[in-house]
Amino acid sequence: MVFICFVLDLRSLSPPLLRDLKQSMLQLANFYAISSPTSSTSSSRSKPLLDRIGLCYLFKNRLSRTDELKVAYSPQGNFSLRDFHHAVNNLPSDAFLPDFNGSGALCCSDLKLSSVLNDKILYSWGGHSKDITRKVVLISSCIFETLDSATKKVLTDAAANCISVEFVFLEQNSSHLADIPERINKFLKQIGDHVNCSFQNYIPDAHALSGLVKKWFQELKEGLEEQMQARFVFKINLLGSTNRISCNLCTSFNQIIDEFVPCKSCRCHGIPFDTSRTIPTDMSSCPVTGVELGVLDLVDSSVKIGEHTVLYMPSFQCCQDLQKVPLPINFNVIERTNLSSLDEGIILGASYIVTPAFSELDDTDKSELNVKLFRVLCGILHSLDQGLVCSSNCNIETAKQTSFLCYYILLPSEKGVMILRRLAGSEEVLPVPDITNIACIPVRKDIENSLQASLLKIELRNYDPVQHNRGFHQRLNLLVKESLQFGAIPAKAKEPVTASNTALQDPVVEDLSVQANDVEVIEENVLDSILADGKTGAKTTEEWEQLVVLELPKMSSPTCISKLKLHKEVSSPLLSTGKLDDKTSRILERLEIPKQLKRKAASPTLSISSVKKPLIPFGPSNTDSQVIVLSQPIKPNFQRLKRKR
């Protein structure tokens, strides 16, 4: 988590530069207001945005002619976008009192760093947690000649407290009268002994200020989202025994919201109510504490900025009610752009294939002309390797109107169709991460030769989606095949209940009829394997002895009913063969159907109808590859004897 304190040296900032710098501070606050953590849980959405931005300014007292420091905005808990805007807009605009040295350059005598780096201001922000990183950004248009001993001691103490100090020098037009490079080198030598100090030099144009804002915003976002780590593994060794490269993943754009949504919020915490998750009732409760709120505790006129920021408004009239975009969608062509210079990092969202509209119901001549114009446009753009940049008030991914412009690029193709992709705007583009430490590392020739030889061993071909199978069908087929191992699951058919058979129905007999299909499956498969060989028969007898002799199953259970049905048709013929041992005979005697069930099953007043369902094998058709599950007893497989009619 990073706390940043901005110190603006208003003594050296001209009114035009101060105006641009104010806009940059407001943009930074706006970015931070719509930022949200990586986690999308309800608890993270209900938490307010932590205040981590401070603002101070240096000015010269016109009466005492002394340099003073004032705190314009101090983080006190939850971030208040309205208070920060109020503080920036009320920065004094008449504090520009430059001092010039003999060479005509701006000079300032006191940095007032001791007034910032103390327990009353910076050290008190965020408490004493070890996970907090504090940073001071001093923005000025003058380069300090010398650092006195007091300032150097303050910088040393800041380094001991893990506080970094960044000096940002904004060069103005009048700076050409002085030797800027020489003064910069002199200042760098003074701060060179302090590892926590850095120096940045910029010409304050629109690109430089926008880059600074995005850089500071990325530092604030480090506490909101985690950087993803990745590694690329090769099938061959790149150098020696190394076959992988570790990397960090980061986004190249920060997509902003399309609209500002009116909402209700609690007055105690300023947290909006999530109407999509709550049940509409007459009473409302605080999203943080859960305490029921009265009418005076609710703020009806609020506007939701992102997920954690709410503005109190006098009415909702400032917010548009965005509707579905009417068809056809208008894309206004702005300019052409060379595709070779287009940064792939600013292309976001899905791709949409664009084809010419042709309808035989309309004017045929106009339709054919439209197709011809489309083909010629695509061909010309493809030959020039250019695309068309367009703007629209529609977000094509949501098919809704937006409060802000969306930019798109129309890309040609060789096959006569075009592709529409969305482009990031100025507010969405983030600067490229600092890679100076990568470019300055020298590379030996043997590493380059080894890596090139390894890459040439990797197969080279044009990408064809048909040849790159993700394995969806194979995985799903395997799941279905494994599911078939459980056999058929018959649905329980419900017969209409009539007055004639209501009194005659018995729950046990109903269970017998419902399990008829399962019993038929057992009849077809169970009677073929128990006497196949002596070892299998002995093992089967032992497991059935544990199931039947040592345990007393309930008469209404499906297992017991299946045993009774099996014994009814199989026990007598098998016993007559004389090939069963004593244990198996005793087991089958225990499976005899009780007399009460025999009488009820033989009653002529009952009509039990069962439709035989298609058989689903309990295992693969190849018996050699069957795997016996030891967690269940092996079902006996008797030799089926022909019945005498």
Side-chain angles (χ1 to χ4, degrees):
M1 185 179 298
V2 180
F3 280 77
I4 301 180
C5 177
F6 294 95
V7 181
L8 307 183
D9 186 6
L10 302 186
R11 303 166 298 181
S12 61
L13 299 177
S14 62
L17 181 56
L18 179 60
R19 182 184 62 249
D20 296 340
L21 196 57
K22 283 183 178 181
Q23 295 301 318
S24 299
M25 292 290 104
L26 297 180
Q27 290 177 9
L28 176 63
N30 295 341
F31 282 139
Y32 185 65
I34 65 173
S35 61
S36 59
T38 306
S39 176
S40 60
T41 59
S42 58
S43 60
S44 64
R45 287 196 301 267
S46 61
K47 293 181 180 179
L49 191 63
L50 187 62
D51 203 347
R52 296 191 288 142
I53 306 176
L55 180 62
C56 305
Y57 62 91
L58 290 168
F59 73 103
K60 184 180 292 293
N61 192 317
R62 294 180 180 270
L63 298 178
S64 61
R65 303 298 297 178
T66 58
D67 297 325
E68 298 181 4
L69 183 137
K70 292 290 184 179
V71 178
Y73 182 85
S74 177
Q76 299 295 335
N78 301 335
F79 179 68
S80 175
L81 181 64
R82 183 177 62 175
D83 293 347
F84 190 87
H85 273 243
H86 180 73
V88 172
N89 291 325
N90 283 275
L91 289 175
S93 57
D94 57 347
F96 180 59
L97 292 175
D99 292 333
F100 299 94
N101 58 9
S103 59
L106 291 174
C107 64
C108 298
S109 57
D110 193 359
L111 294 175
K112 288 292 182 180
L113 287 178
S114 59
S115 301
V116 180
L117 301 172
N118 54 49
D119 294 333
K120 294 182 179 180
I121 298 182
L122 186 64
Y123 291 174
S124 63
W125 294 354
H128 301 283
S129 176
K130 296 181 180 179
D131 298 333
I132 294 178
T133 302
R134 297 176 178 88
K135 181 177 182 178
V136 176
V137 179
L138 180 61
I139 304 176
S140 177
S141 289
C142 68
I143 300 178
F144 302 97
E145 298 289 344
T146 58
L147 297 179
D148 54 12
S149 58
T151 303
K152 291 182 179 180
K153 184 179 184 304
V154 169
L155 294 177
T156 303
D157 296 340
N161 290 277
C162 299
I163 297 176
S164 59
V165 180
E166 179 180 345
F167 298 92
V168 177
F169 172 65
L170 301 180
E171 184 177 349
Q172 297 190 118
N173 295 331
S174 59
S175 300
H176 69 279
L177 300 176
D179 189 3
I180 298 298
E182 181 180 351
R183 300 181 65 208
I184 290 177
N185 293 333
K186 184 178 179 180
F187 181 75
L188 290 176
K189 291 180 180 179
Q190 297 184 70
I191 64 173
D193 297 335
H194 303 279
V195 294
N196 62 325
C197 295
S198 61
F199 179 83
Q200 303 291 335
N201 182 23
Y202 298 97
I203 296 177
D205 55 6
H207 289 281
L209 294 178
S210 177
L212 280 173
V213 171
K214 305 293 178 56
K215 173 179 174 293
W216 295 327
F217 175 59
Q218 279 186 310
E219 295 177 357
L220 291 173
K221 282 186 62 178
E222 289 180 358
L224 298 176
E225 58 183 11
E226 297 180 357
Q227 191 176 33
M228 293 182 292
Q229 287 82 32
R231 57 185 179 185
F232 296 91
V233 182
F234 295 82
K235 297 180 181 180
I236 57 177
N237 293 335
L238 300 178
L239 180 66
S241 60
T242 303
N243 67 334
R244 62 191 60 191
I245 299 177
S246 300
C247 304
N248 295 324
L249 303 183
C250 59
T251 58
S252 59
F253 62 90
N254 180 64
Q255 191 166 354
I256 62 174
I257 56 181
D258 289 335
E259 59 177 324
F260 302 130
V261 183
C263 66
K264 286 186 177 181
S265 61
C266 64
R267 194 179 298 274
C268 51
H269 295 87
I271 304 299
F273 295 103
D274 193 353
T275 56
S276 62
R277 292 179 174 268
T278 57
I279 301 176
T281 57
D282 296 335
M283 300 297 296
S284 300
S285 59
C286 175
V288 179
T289 61
V291 179
E292 291 187 355
L293 304 177
V295 179
L296 299 179
D297 299 325
L298 299 178
V299 180
D300 294 331
S301 56
S302 301
V303 176
K304 190 176 180 182
I305 311 296
E307 293 290 340
H308 301 269
T309 305
V310 173
L311 289 179
Y312 299 139
M313 305 296 296
S315 66
F316 289 152
Q317 297 179 359
C318 63
C319 299
Q320 303 177 5
D321 186 12
L322 301 179
Q323 304 293 333
K324 289 287 184 179
V325 62
L327 299 180
I329 305 172
N330 292 326
F331 294 93
N332 301 317
V333 178
I334 299 177
E335 59 191 6
R336 290 181 296 132
T337 183
N338 294 322
L339 299 182
S340 58
S341 63
L342 183 65
D343 186 0
E344 295 290 339
I346 64 174
I347 301 178
L348 55 131
S351 301
Y352 293 85
I353 299 177
V354 182
T355 58
F358 180 82
S359 176
E360 296 180 354
L361 300 178
D362 299 333
D363 191 347
T364 305
D365 295 337
K366 292 183 179 180
S367 298
E368 291 182 354
L369 178 60
N370 182 70
V371 173
K372 294 178 182 179
L373 293 176
F374 183 91
R375 290 180 56 186
V376 173
L377 175 63
C378 181
I380 294 176
L381 290 177
H382 184 265
S383 62
L384 297 175
D385 193 25
Q386 295 177 350
L388 297 180
V389 178
C390 311
S391 65
S392 177
N393 282 104
C394 169
N395 185 343
I396 56 177
E397 294 189 2
T398 60
K400 292 183 62 176
Q401 295 178 345
T402 62
S403 300
F404 325 108
L405 283 177
C406 297
Y407 294 96
Y408 300 90
I409 184 168
L410 189 62
L411 301 172
S413 68
E414 185 180 1
K415 297 182 179 180
V417 297
M418 289 193 275
I419 295 177
L420 188 69
R421 298 288 302 273
R422 184 172 175 179
L423 296 175
S426 60
E427 299 94 337
E428 297 171 300
V429 179
L430 292 177
V432 179
D434 186 14
I435 58 174
T436 55
N437 55 344
I438 301 176
C440 63
I441 299 178
V443 179
R444 300 195 311 269
K445 193 65 176 179
D446 58 335
I447 297 179
E448 182 179 352
N449 296 336
S450 176
L451 189 59
Q452 183 177 4
S454 300
L455 289 178
L456 294 178
K457 295 179 182 179
I458 301 176
E459 182 180 1
L460 174 64
R461 63 178 179 179
N462 295 331
Y463 184 80
D464 186 358
V466 179
Q467 298 179 358
H468 292 77
N469 193 349
R470 296 184 58 196
F472 165 76
H473 294 292
Q474 290 86 339
R475 178 58 178 164
L476 183 56
N477 293 343
L478 181 60
L479 292 177
V480 176
K481 186 176 181 180
E482 292 178 356
S483 178
L484 288 176
Q485 307 302 317
F486 292 98
I489 303 178
K492 186 174 181 180
K494 295 183 178 180
E495 295 184 357
V497 180
T498 60
S500 60
N501 60 8
T502 302
L504 298 177
Q505 286 183 344
D506 188 89
V508 178
V509 179
E510 280 188 0
D511 288 340
L512 284 171
S513 63
V514 170
Q515 298 293 332
N517 291 321
D518 287 341
V519 173
E520 292 296 333
V521 175
I522 295 176
E523 288 180 354
E524 293 292 335
N525 298 285
V526 162
L527 302 177
D528 296 331
S529 65
I530 191 171
L531 299 178
D533 53 61
K535 295 182 180 180
T536 306
K539 187 175 181 180
T540 304
T541 301
E542 180 182 355
E543 293 189 2
W544 275 79
E545 180 183 8
Q546 295 176 1
L547 177 64
V548 180
V549 178
L550 301 181
E551 297 181 0
L552 296 177
K554 296 180 180 180
M555 294 302 298
S556 60
S557 64
T559 305
C560 181
I561 299 303
S562 301
K563 296 171 186 175
L564 297 178
K565 179 68 176 180
L566 174 66
H567 177 64
K568 179 180 177 181
E569 300 185 4
V570 178
S571 61
S572 296
L574 288 174
L575 290 174
S576 62
T577 60
K579 297 182 180 180
L580 300 178
D581 53 10
D582 295 337
K583 288 186 177 181
T584 305
S585 300
R586 288 197 300 271
I587 291 172
L588 294 178
E589 288 176 2
R590 293 290 300 273
L591 296 178
E592 184 178 359
I593 302 176
K595 295 180 180 181
Q596 295 85 352
L597 294 181
K598 287 183 178 180
R599 287 196 299 267
K600 291 182 180 182
S603 177
T605 59
L606 294 177
S607 176
I608 302 175
S609 61
S610 62
V611 180
K612 191 172 183 179
K613 295 187 176 181
L615 298 180
I616 298 180
F618 284 87
S621 58
N622 187 6
T623 57
D624 297 336
S625 61
Q626 290 185 0
V627 179
I628 300 176
V629 182
L630 299 179
S631 61
Q632 298 179 356
I634 303 176
K635 299 179 178 65
N637 195 351
F638 300 93
Q639 292 182 357
R640 184 176 181 85
L641 302 179
K642 295 183 178 180
R643 301 178 184 178
K644 294 182 180 180
R645 300 194 179 272

